[in-house]
Structure formats: C-alpha cells, structure tokens
C-alpha cells in the first residue's frame, strides 16, 4: 500500500529543500541522453553506471528530506539498473522506455 501521508518537513531549511529540488531536476534532465545512448548500446555498462549514480544520489538526498515515496521509487529504479549491471536483466527498448518514463 502506498504511503500517501505528507512527509514531516518541520525542521527542514526551505533553502536546502529548494536546492535539493533544483539539483534533482538538473540530475534528472541529464538522464535523457544517457537513456538514448543505452538504447543504442544496451551492453555498455558504463552507460548504465552513468544512469545509476544520479539515481542513487536522488535516492539518498530524498531520504535526507524524509521524502519516502521518492526514495522508494528511486530504489526500485536502482534495483533494475543493478540487475542490468549484473547482467540478470537486459536493457531492452521497452525497459529503457519504462525507466525513462520513471524519470
């Protein structure tokens, strides 16, 4: 069951939260070309690593702000990317489209 409760933002500096939002948007905007490159080169694990790192950053930073839904969603993306890195899953066009849509 999804957690639909609002996170407790008391005690969080609004300027820090705005920095998180801006940084996350910049990170996510930078992923589009990586997904395009992955679709062209699905066996290139360096591209997968290039996607994994920013997703991991968003996950960690969202946890700092107690944004559980974002953290959990990023964790799912991380797991899928980890399976691709471990060659347990193939970076097929439909999977890449799903991941890109998740951004």
């Amino acid at each position: 069951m999804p957690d639909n409760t609002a996170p407790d933002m008391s005690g969080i500096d609004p300027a820090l939260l705005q920095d998180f939002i801006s940084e996350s948007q910049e990170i996510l905007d930078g992923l589009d070309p990586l997904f395009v490159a992955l679709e062209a080169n699905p066996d290139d694990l360096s591209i997968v690593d290039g996607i994994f790192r920013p997703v991991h950053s968003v996950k960690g930073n969202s946890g700092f702000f107690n944004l559980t839904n974002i953290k959990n969603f990023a964790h799912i993306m991380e797991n899928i990317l980890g399976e691709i890195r471990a060659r347990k899953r193939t970076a097929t066009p439909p999977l890449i489209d799903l991941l890109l849509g998740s951004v």
Side-chain angles (χ1 to χ4, degrees):
M1 176 176 284
D3 178 8
N4 293 325
T5 60
D8 178 12
M9 301 307 287
S10 63
I12 298 294
D13 181 342
L16 285 177
L17 181 60
Q18 185 57 51
D19 287 346
F20 161 74
I21 293 167
S22 297
E23 180 182 318
S24 296
Q25 188 62 51
E26 190 175 306
I27 286 170
L28 297 175
D29 287 346
L31 291 178
D32 285 357
L34 291 172
F35 281 112
V36 171
L38 183 60
E39 194 159 26
N41 304 289
D43 294 324
D44 188 340
L45 296 183
S46 68
I47 299 170
V48 178
D49 288 340
I51 297 168
F52 185 92
R53 283 189 299 275
V55 170
H56 180 74
S57 293
V58 169
K59 181 188 84 169
N61 292 341
S62 62
F64 173 79
F65 289 103
N66 198 29
L67 299 171
T68 307
N69 290 339
I70 295 171
K71 183 185 84 172
N72 292 343
F73 195 79
H75 185 71
I76 292 167
M77 286 185 69
E78 229 183 22
N79 286 344
I80 293 169
L81 292 164
E83 289 176 2
I84 294 170
R85 285 177 15 178
R87 302 211 185 266
K88 293 180 180 178
R89 188 182 288 239
T90 303
T92 62
L95 181 59
I96 293 168
D97 289 345
L98 177 69
L99 289 168
L100 183 56
S102 298
V103 171

